[in-house]
Amino acid sequence: MMENHTPQQPVQAQESDTSAANISLHDIIRMVIDNWYWFALSVVFCLCIAYYYLASTPKVYSRTATILVKDSRKGGDVELQAFSDLAGFQSRRNVDNEVYILQSRRLMEEVVKRLNLTTNYTVRERLRTRALYTQSPIDVQFVDNNDKLSCSMEITPLEGDKIRLTRFDDEFITKQESKQVLTASYGDTIATPVGRIVVNKTLYMDDEKYLDEPIHIGKSSLAAATSAYRAAVKCDVVSKDASIVTISMNNSVPKRAEDVINTLITAYNDDAIEDKRQISIRTAEFIQARLEVIGRELGDVDRSIEDIKKDNNMIDISSEAARTVTESSRYKAEGLSLDNQINVAEFIRTYLTDSANAGMLIPVLATLDNTAVSTQIDKYNTVVLRRDKLAENSTDNSPVIQELDNVLSSLRHSILASLDSHISALEIQRKALREEEEQANRRISTMPSQEKVILGITRQQKIKEELFLYLLNKQEETQLNYAIAESNSRTIDMAYGSAAPVAPRSMIILCMALIAGLAIPFGLLFLIGMLDTTIRGRKDIEDNLSVPFLGDIPTFEGETKNGIVVRETGRDPLSEAFRILRSNMTFMNVSSGKTVQSVHFTSSDPHAGKTFVAMNLAMTLAMAGKRVVLVDLDLRRHALSSQLGQGNNKRGITGYLAGTITDINELIYNPGIHKNLDVILAGIQPPNPTEMLLSEKLDQLIAELRTRYDYIFLDSTPAMSVADAVITDRLSDLCLYIVREGVLDRRQLPDIERLYREKKLHNMSIVLNGTRTHRHGYGYGYGYGYGYGYGYGYDDKKDDSYRKRIMLFLRKMARKIRR
């Protein structure tokens, strides 16, 4: 298709994915250099934030104390082993339990009460708030104070022993009440929206220092203050092999941290000693009370035994027990006999009531102890036997048989009635026997208790004598225990610490601010670059396309007239770029060996700037003495015609193709830009632009123009949008495919490569438009970001002005720093 290429040699398209994704260290360094002002601005901003944080954040100091817990597992109570049998020294301690006690809420609540930590006094010093711990010039007493009160206010000392109270706040008052301003004197009981208070001077009052200086008073509830300080104090065991505990606390006031730790140790020791002494006191009270009681009980033991024997009518508990057991056995045997008779009677009654046994003999049981019932049963059985003998020689309808049946029925009812009476009598007897048996059993069951009581009283008589002597000994031991009671710990070091604050760490924060100031713009720029899928420079074209690269046009920042930016004697980058493009175009010869005369301009999208490139390249050739004609073949948008202000001119190529204009000279229009540069306008927008471009008249027109001009530039539509560009490509010797940096998506490059390989555009070459030497992201030394639309326009004045203002501001700051 062509023999001569530009000096650049493109790589294969299949290698584009990996090469385009590579970012070298040079690219990163170039990104930082090109955007140094953003890095400088970000570093200054982050350092200012760090300085404000350091200036407004109170300095925090650390204080630590060390105590030795007397852990019984580790020999902590060796000096008290001589008294190990005493009640106060029986419990075993371990260091882990003592750590939990040190961190208990009860102890910290006691510390808060002793140091009055619920009320805080602070003043504002520049950006920082300073706490007036133990140095407050005033003392505020809350008359209506309770452990749940939480409020705040500001008190300003005035001249003449007057004070002004403002900015009241708690969770109940209204907004109007919080804005009240009260004036009072020292020592007055002041009724405020948060309750009644009394304000007094302290020894630290300095009229010159605190006059008209607002002092903020914050009153927190006891529970809130306890929780806050409990969370701030940390207790840790130094090692598993030792019982040494470190108590540490960080606070903005080192004196307050020391007081909290030391008071916590004191409260812990007092609590341990008080606990031991309470045991001794209670033990002594118990011993004294028991001595008095035992003295009286010794005389009551004999009377107790006598009273028990009288109440139970017994002389000797052993003989009484034998007699009661004999009676219980007899009652039990008689009851079993009655149970047997009742069971026999119930069996006979059940037998008679069963219809299946009608006319059958009744069993005669010897255990049935009732003569009347036995006589009736015998009579009944005799009648049954008689009836059975008569029934062998007669029928059931025989009068004799029927009479015997009536007799049997009458006897059966008599027997049942007798059985019921007999059973009732037996049950009454059995109930009486069981009551007697139960009484006997109750007497038996109480005898062990009675014997136990007697034995217990006898035993107490012996024990109380020994106990009395024992309690006398223990009373002396308890007094000794009370005298030698001591804490569970020994203080090794009271609270101490360095005068240097532990937070905020200035160097670390400044270094972090510096790193953040460098990382934020780097991350943003890198992210913007990674998210930017547009063409970022010439390297993207060369790495992804095998199409010949003809040249690149830098972006233009400024105003233009009729879209022309090149100057005949100009040495600016744009003029030089178009001259290079003009020179490179001479190397592009057609296969027939003829020089390039008809040049077709197209692109992928309507914002590539093909009209801008066509007009300025044509102007460059015109300045070189070549006659050039620009033909607007964009019959849809009329970009070239509109650029020249002739978008509605009817004398255009559509009129010629439609037959309304026959003379070619009527089409040629000189815009007055250069005598060697003519233009053929698009004309009226037709309803069928694609069919009109297929007309043979267009071929005839181009053939005629070839005889009149050295170069014919055909400004066409985007090749990816409509088919017009491919249709008009038949009229060209060279197709300049305009790609705009920062606009064309790199994902469209395979489509351009496909156009070239399938030879849909004649003698196709690439021109990169809108390249920049300064980028806001990483890349290859070229930029992105444009403000012009379809055509030639550039509008980066705002961005340039913004950067100039930033640079001016940075220069002023640098001058001030140098001063």
Side-chain angles (χ1 to χ4, degrees), residues 79-136:
E79 70 277 10
L80 299 178
Q81 287 181 357
F83 304 100
S84 60
D85 62 328
L86 302 184
F89 302 102
Q90 291 301 318
S91 61
R92 297 180 62 85
R93 297 182 304 275
N94 64 74
V95 66
D96 297 324
N97 293 339
E98 300 305 313
V99 168
Y100 281 110
I101 295 175
L102 282 168
Q103 293 179 327
S104 66
R105 187 178 187 86
R106 178 176 57 83
L107 283 183
M108 186 53 66
E109 186 175 305
E110 180 65 23
V111 172
V112 172
K113 289 180 179 179
R114 291 187 184 184
L115 299 177
N116 191 23
L117 297 177
T118 56
T119 305
N120 295 316
Y121 303 86
T122 58
V123 293
R124 191 72 176 178
E125 292 184 352
R126 298 181 180 177
L127 297 177
R128 185 173 295 158
T129 299
R130 182 170 67 90
L132 300 176
Y133 176 72
T134 68
Q135 297 180 354
S136 173

Side-chain angles (χ1 to χ4, degrees), residues 83-360:
F83 304 100
S84 60
D85 62 328
L86 302 184
F89 302 102
Q90 291 301 318
S91 61
R92 297 180 62 85
R93 297 182 304 275
N94 64 74
V95 66
D96 297 324
N97 293 339
E98 300 305 313
V99 168
Y100 281 110
I101 295 175
L102 282 168
Q103 293 179 327
S104 66
R105 187 178 187 86
R106 178 176 57 83
L107 283 183
M108 186 53 66
E109 186 175 305
E110 180 65 23
V111 172
V112 172
K113 289 180 179 179
R114 291 187 184 184
L115 299 177
N116 191 23
L117 297 177
T118 56
T119 305
N120 295 316
Y121 303 86
T122 58
V123 293
R124 191 72 176 178
E125 292 184 352
R126 298 181 180 177
L127 297 177
R128 185 173 295 158
T129 299
R130 182 170 67 90
L132 300 176
Y133 176 72
T134 68
Q135 297 180 354
S136 173
I138 59 175
D139 177 53
V140 180
Q141 298 178 2
F142 293 86
V143 179
D144 303 322
N145 184 25
N146 58 71
D147 292 341
K148 296 182 179 179
L149 178 62
S150 178
C151 62
S152 65
M153 69 186 77
E154 280 190 357
I155 299 178
T156 306
L158 304 176
E159 293 182 355
D161 288 342
K162 296 290 184 180
I163 54 174
R164 182 173 63 245
L165 295 86
T166 57
R167 303 185 67 177
F168 302 99
D169 185 24
D170 69 5
E171 56 183 339
F172 301 108
I173 66 174
T174 63
K175 187 175 182 180
Q176 184 177 2
E177 290 176 333
S178 66
K179 295 181 179 180
Q180 289 186 13
V181 179
L182 302 178
T183 303
S185 300
Y186 292 105
D188 293 345
T189 300
I190 309 169
T192 68
V194 298
R196 293 180 299 167
I197 64 172
V198 177
V199 183
N200 297 312
K201 286 185 178 181
T202 66
L203 298 176
Y204 293 95
M205 172 58 76
D206 185 352
D207 294 338
E208 295 181 358
K209 182 178 181 180
Y210 292 105
L211 188 65
D212 295 328
E213 180 71 21
I215 302 173
H216 183 269
I217 293 89
K219 174 68 172 64
S220 60
S221 64
L222 179 61
T226 301
S227 299
Y229 285 99
R230 184 166 174 255
V233 175
K234 306 296 182 184
C235 300
D236 297 305
V237 180
V238 175
S239 67
K240 295 181 179 180
D241 299 330
S243 59
I244 297 177
V245 178
T246 59
I247 306 173
S248 59
M249 178 181 176
N250 295 338
N251 197 270
S252 58
V253 181
K255 181 66 169 58
R256 180 162 54 192
E258 293 175 3
D259 291 347
V260 170
I261 294 175
N262 294 335
T263 306
L264 177 62
I265 295 174
T266 303
Y268 169 74
N269 292 334
D270 293 345
D271 182 74
I273 294 174
E274 183 64 22
D275 183 51
K276 292 181 179 180
R277 286 184 173 178
Q278 284 296 325
I279 295 175
S280 299
I281 292 173
R282 293 178 182 179
T283 303
E285 292 175 352
F286 171 77
I287 291 174
Q288 184 62 33
R290 291 302 299 165
L291 286 173
E292 296 176 358
V293 171
I294 291 172
R296 293 192 302 267
E297 289 178 350
L298 286 174
D300 296 337
V301 172
D302 294 335
R303 287 191 296 272
S304 299
I305 297 175
E306 180 183 1
D307 292 339
I308 292 173
K309 290 183 177 181
K310 287 181 179 181
D311 294 339
N312 294 278
N313 296 321
M314 66 173 67
I315 298 174
D316 182 55
I317 193 170
S318 300
S319 60
E320 185 69 20
R323 182 176 62 83
T324 305
V325 170
T326 302
E327 291 180 357
S328 176
S329 300
R330 180 169 56 82
Y331 293 146
K332 185 174 182 181
E334 291 177 359
L336 291 175
S337 177
L338 290 175
D339 288 339
N340 189 21
Q341 294 181 33
I342 291 172
N343 291 333
V344 171
E346 288 180 348
F347 170 75
I348 296 173
R349 185 178 58 180
T350 304
Y351 183 83
L352 289 174
T353 55
D354 189 358
S355 60
N357 297 326
M360 300 293 292

